[in-house]
Every structure is written in structure tokens, then in C-alpha cells.
Amino acid sequence: MLAVAASVGTMFAEKVQIGDLYYNLNATNQTAEVTSSSDKYSGAIVVPSSVTYNSKTFSVTSIGKEAFRGCSGLTSVTIPNSVTSIGWYAFYGCSGLTSVTIGNSVTSIGEYAFEGCTDLTSITIPNSVTYIGEDAFSDCTGLTSVTIPNSVTYIGGHAFSRCTRLTSVTIGNSVTYIEGYAFYECTGLTSLTIPNSVTYIGGYAFYKCTGLTSLTIGNSVTSIEYNAFAYCSSLTSIEIPNSVTRIGDQAFYYCSGLTSVTIGNSVTSIGEGAFMGCDGLTSVTIPNSVKSIERYAFEYCSGLTSVTIPNSVTNIGSSAFEYCSGLTSVTNFANTPQEIDIYVFGNKSTCVLYVPAGSISAYQSADGWKNFTNILPIGAQPADVTTTTVIPSATTADIAWPQVTGAATYTIEIKKNGELICTLTFNVQGQLISIAFNAPSRNNAPQRAQAAGFAFTVTSLDSGTTYSYTMVAKDSSGNVLKTESGTFTTTGDAQGIEDVQGNNVQCTKVVRDGQIFILRGDKIYTLQGQEVK
């Protein structure tokens, strides 16, 4: 009796041939696993759902590890619904395989399962599959399209890497992880939609997808890892959703065709070299959520002409904007200059730096920033107006004017009793580019944040006084496109110069930059009685 039992146990532990295939049989649960043959399989293979051995029926539930590995003569395979898993290297290197039918009970496709199946042109992954392992379809250079069903939650690293003829990929809306190198060097891929279910895009996931022209990133992605879209040279625009908190190192490295980038307002860090070499990029707006712009972030973006840095940014790494040879305008809203080195912006001789008016002197003395030869106050704020309007207070006036089609400059003159008080000139972006005569200071408080025109706060006006104003819009040739004029009266009850001079303290008149001030003790006042801080 013991001898018979041992014999049976040994028999079912051995590999047996049934028909054209070899199997590992499991006597306990009466299941069978397709396994390898030393003679190599070839031609068209249909895997049965069950086999019979010694009068016992075994359900075929898996394609074993390396079962068909290196079977270059294999042309097609049909996997039945009884099979639940395809093992590691199952069809690795089956270069002649042109057709695969996978049954609708398979839940996992193992690592390297179909790697190097170069003649495979299409694959249907059933809705039962939840896991696509590492390198599962890598180097399937004949594969032209793939649909990843909604059942899949995980796409492993290198899963479709170097599938160079792959032009269409549909990713199901249950996928949460796209691991690194998943579609590495899929150069034929032209468009891609990453569904809202995806939270993670791994490093090198779409590296060198040079044919990619359209990309939509779902609004659940929180991190775009290093080199994820590097060298996607045909990509022209990218919108990074508000869910993303970090753009990894070199994430869009040398995306040379990129002309437009929208960065979501949850991003806190732009990684090292994230947009380095994106020489088609002409402008970028960094949202208020960003705290750190790492080194080399926009280096060699030669087409970049302007950049706006919000006051949330506390760190700007070395060479972040170096070799941006087309840069003509940098706007920095930080009241206190960030600590930077001399390499952040490189050559600054032709670039204008716009900063809060009250911080100009701080920038002029700060390392790195002081190398800008032209530092001007940040100009007008956007305003929703259709005609020039003025809202006065005691000593200030908010002047708003509309955008005029074709206008290159806007000039505003303010007069009192016919005498010119000041002339302000703004460019088409609403930035203050020149001040003449008795120039007012800039109020740094934000104004109406709309998009139809601009608004600027004029200070140091006399209380209870009537002023006239004229706004003139001109084109680039100096031709007048629009003129609007009017008057406004400031309110009363402001401190006057008489109040300043009314005490028994020596007062002295001083002139600076064409404006008269009153020096009283250790304090300075304007002629309107306002203390200058």
C-alpha cells in the first residue's frame, strides 16, 4: 500500500505529455499547468481547458513559467477560459507569434510573458486581467495598438517598452499605477489619455515617445516622476492638473516642440531640469503654490521671453534659467529677494526685472538680482473695464483702462490746474516702462483681477483736489488708436503740509528725482503732507 502511494505521488510530480503539450499535474486539486518541451513547440497551438491522464480529468489553469520560451516557430496560440494566469517568460522570444487569444479568466500576465514577440501585431487583453507585469510586452516591435481594459489596476515597469510601432494605446479607468519605463521609447505613439484613476506616473514612463503630439493627464495624478516625458519632442502643449504636487527631475527634459505649459495650482516643487532644453517654450506662469524651482529647471529654454515668479517661491536653484537667451522680462512678486547665485539667470544685460516698487532697492543690493541692469516696478494689474475710469480716495486714485486692439503702449497723463503732474507709460502687458516728471509711487495692493484691461494706483495726490487725466493708446508705429479723457476729485480730510510745518521744528525743502520733499527732524514728507517711509 505504501509503495503504491509513493508511486502515485511521484507520477504526478513528474512532467507528462498529453497530446502535443507537456503539463505539470497537481493531484491534490486536479489542475494542470502547461510547461515547456525540450523539442520546442511550433505552429498553431490550442490549449485545451482540461486534460485526462490515467482516467483522471485535470483543469488547465495556468501557462507555466517559460512554457513556450524561445519557440520561434510558434505562430498562434489560443488560451482557454479555464486559465487564470500566464507565468513569467511564458512566450518570451516567440518571434514568429502573430496571433494570441487570451481567455476571459486570466487575472495576471506575468513578467516578460510576451517580451520579444516581434511579429505580434495586436493583442486583446480580457476584462478579467488586473495585473500586467514588468516587461510583459516589451520589444513587441510589431504591436500597433493595445487596449488595456478597465479591470487592470497596475501596469508594470517596461510593460510595453520599445514597442516602436505602437500608435494607439487605450488605458482603462481603473489603472492607478503606471510604473517606470512602461511605454519607454514607444516612438510611434501619437496621442495619449491618462485616465482620472491614475495617481502615479513612474520615471521614464513615456521617455522618448518622440511621436507623441497630444497628451491628457487625468486629475488624480499627484506625482510626475523623473524623465517621465523626457525627449517627447513632438509634444506641443501640456496641462498639468491641479492634483499634481510635484514635477519630478527632468520630467519634460528636452521636449523641444513644447510651446505651452499650464502648471496646476497644487504644484509645490519643479524638479531639477524639469523643462530643461524646451527651446520652443516662449512663456511660463508659475502658480502661487510653488515654493521651490530646482536647479536647471528651465535651463536652455532659448525661446523663453518672459517668466513670472510668484511670491510663494522661496528657493530658485542654480542655473534655473541660465542660457535662456531670448528672455527679455522677469517678473518677481517676492517682496524680499530670494537668495540666488549669479548663474540663475546668466546674462541679464538685455532683460528687464519687474519687482514690487517698495522692494527695488532691496533687489538692487541683493546678490544675483543686482546684476540686472534694468529693475522696474511691477506694472498695472488686470481690470475688467471697457472705458477708462477713475476711483479716487483722499490722496490716491485707481485708474483703469481697457485693452485696445493693436495697441503697443498706453500713456496716461495727470494734470492739476492744467499743469502736468506725471506721465506714465505702460506696455501691452500692462507693465510700467517709464515715468516722467513728478512720478507717484506704486501701491502694491492687488487690484481687480480680471482680463479686459489694466488698473494702476496713483498715490501722493492732494486731498480735495480736482485733476484731469488723458489715456492715449498707440500702436507700434506711434499711431494713436484711442484717446479717453476725464476729471476726478480726491476726497478731503487728509493731513496737509501746513500740519507738518505747524510745529516749532526746523523744516527743510529738498529735491530728489525732480520731486520736492519736506525734511522735518528725522522724517520726510511730500508737499501733500504724506510721510515718506
Side-chain angles (χ1 to χ4, degrees):
M1 180 75 73
L2 290 174
V4 172
S7 175
V8 171
T10 302
M11 177 179 64
F12 289 124
E14 294 177 355
K15 181 166 66 175
V16 299
Q17 182 179 8
I18 305 173
D20 294 328
L21 299 175
Y22 284 82
Y23 301 89
N24 290 321
L25 303 179
N26 187 315
T28 302
N29 55 22
Q30 290 190 232
T31 60
E33 175 187 78
V34 179
T35 189
S36 60
S37 167
S38 59
D39 295 331
K40 301 290 184 183
Y41 300 111
S42 63
I45 296 291
V46 177
V47 177
S49 59
S50 64
V51 292
T52 300
Y53 188 78
N54 286 348
S55 302
K56 292 183 179 293
T57 300
F58 297 82
S59 178
V60 179
T61 58
S62 65
I63 308 296
K65 180 180 178 182
E66 300 182 332
F68 296 90
R69 179 170 183 166
C71 295
S72 58
L74 187 68
T75 57
S76 70
V77 63
T78 300
I79 300 171
N81 292 337
S82 59
V83 171
T84 59
S85 67
I86 300 173
W88 285 34
Y89 296 93
F91 297 91
Y92 179 92
C94 293
S95 56
L97 187 64
T98 59
S99 172
V100 174
T101 301
I102 301 176
N104 57 20
S105 294
V106 172
T107 59
S108 66
I109 299 175
E111 278 75 355
Y112 309 94
F114 293 92
E115 182 177 358
C117 294
T118 54
D119 284 355
L120 192 63
T121 57
S122 65
I123 185 76
T124 299
I125 301 171
N127 283 322
S128 54
V129 173
T130 60
Y131 175 94
I132 299 175
E134 182 178 329
D135 281 277
F137 297 93
S138 62
D139 291 302
C140 290
T141 54
L143 199 63
T144 59
S145 67
V146 65
T147 297
I148 299 171
N150 292 337
S151 56
V152 173
T153 59
Y154 178 89
I155 301 175
H158 291 272
F160 295 91
S161 67
R162 295 179 298 276
C163 292
T164 54
R165 291 184 62 193
L166 190 63
T167 59
S168 172
V169 172
T170 301
I171 300 175
N173 57 20
S174 293
V175 174
T176 57
Y177 266 57
I178 300 176
E179 285 290 2
Y181 296 85
F183 295 88
Y184 177 89
E185 290 188 355
C186 289
T187 55
L189 193 62
T190 57
S191 66
L192 179 68
T193 297
I194 298 173
N196 292 336
S197 57
V198 174
T199 60
Y200 176 87
I201 301 175
Y204 292 87
F206 298 91
Y207 180 89
K208 282 192 177 179
C209 290
T210 54
L212 192 64
T213 59
S214 173
L215 173 64
T216 301
I217 300 175
N219 57 20
S220 294
V221 174
T222 58
S223 179
I224 300 174
E225 291 300 313
Y226 54 93
N227 282 290
F229 296 94
Y231 291 107
C232 291
S233 55
S234 297
L235 196 62
T236 58
S237 66
I238 179 68
E239 184 170 342
I240 299 170
N242 292 335
S243 56
V244 173
T245 59
R246 182 179 182 275
I247 301 173
D249 296 349
Q250 297 180 254
F252 297 92
Y253 183 81
Y254 276 90
C255 290
S256 56
L258 200 61
T259 59
S260 171
V261 173
T262 301
I263 300 175
N265 57 22
S266 295
V267 172
T268 59
S269 175
I270 299 175
E272 290 188 13
F275 296 94
M276 181 178 176
C278 296
D279 52 15
L281 197 62
T282 57
S283 66
V284 63
T285 299
I286 299 167
N288 285 322
S289 56
V290 172
K291 297 180 180 179
S292 180
I293 302 172
E294 300 296 336
R295 59 181 183 171
Y296 318 121
F298 295 92
E299 189 179 28
Y300 289 105
C301 290
S302 57
L304 197 64
T305 59
S306 65
V307 63
T308 299
I309 301 171
N311 59 14
S312 59
V313 173
T314 57
N315 172 66
I316 303 176
S318 183
S319 299
F321 297 93
E322 192 173 14
Y323 302 113
C324 294
S325 56
L327 198 62
T328 60
S329 169
V330 174
T331 300
N332 190 352
F333 281 91
N335 290 309
T336 301
Q338 300 93 343
E339 292 185 10
I340 64 172
D341 63 32
I342 61 174
Y343 302 106
V344 168
F345 291 96
N347 184 10
K348 309 168 185 67
S349 60
T350 60
C351 185
V352 180
L353 173 62
Y354 294 95
V355 302
S359 302
I360 288 179
S361 60
Y363 279 86
Q364 289 173 333
S365 60
D367 289 341
W369 299 106
K370 66 184 180 182
N371 293 331
F372 282 89
T373 58
N374 194 4
I375 303 178
L376 297 176
I378 292 174
Q381 301 295 313
D384 189 13
V385 292
T386 56
T387 60
T388 302
T389 57
V390 179
I391 302 175
S393 62
T395 58
T396 67
D398 287 347
I399 300 180
W401 63 96
Q403 288 182 325
V404 178
T405 302
T409 61
Y410 301 89
T411 299
I412 298 174
E413 291 185 346
I414 299 176
K415 296 180 179 180
K416 182 177 74 172
N417 298 326
E419 181 182 357
L420 188 65
I421 300 298
C422 68
T423 303
L424 306 106
T425 303
F426 302 84
N427 63 16
V428 69
Q429 287 83 31
Q431 293 168 330
L432 183 63
I433 56 178
S434 70
I435 307 172
F437 299 98
N438 187 13
S441 62
R442 173 74 170 97
N443 185 335
N444 289 321
Q447 307 299 320
R448 297 166 292 281
Q450 322 258 331
F454 302 102
F456 191 85
T457 301
V458 179
T459 64
S460 300
L461 299 176
D462 294 339
S463 61
T465 303
T466 299
Y467 291 87
S468 63
Y469 66 88
T470 302
M471 186 283 291
V472 179
K474 296 181 181 180
D475 64 18
S476 57
S477 299
N479 300 311
V480 175
L481 302 179
K482 189 170 187 177
T483 301
E484 291 184 339
S485 300
T487 61
F488 64 91
T489 301
T490 55
T491 58
D493 301 325
Q495 176 179 254
I497 192 62
E498 295 80 10
D499 299 314
V500 174
Q501 293 181 303
N503 297 314
N504 295 322
V505 178
Q506 180 66 36
C507 293
T508 304
K509 286 185 179 182
V510 296
V511 178
R512 182 176 180 182
D513 295 333
Q515 187 172 356
I516 300 175
F517 296 91
I518 302 298
L519 179 62
R520 175 181 177 271
D522 60 352
K523 295 185 178 182
I524 301 174
Y525 298 86
T526 66
L527 287 175
Q528 291 76 41
Q530 287 184 308
E531 182 179 352
V532 178
K533 295 183 180 180

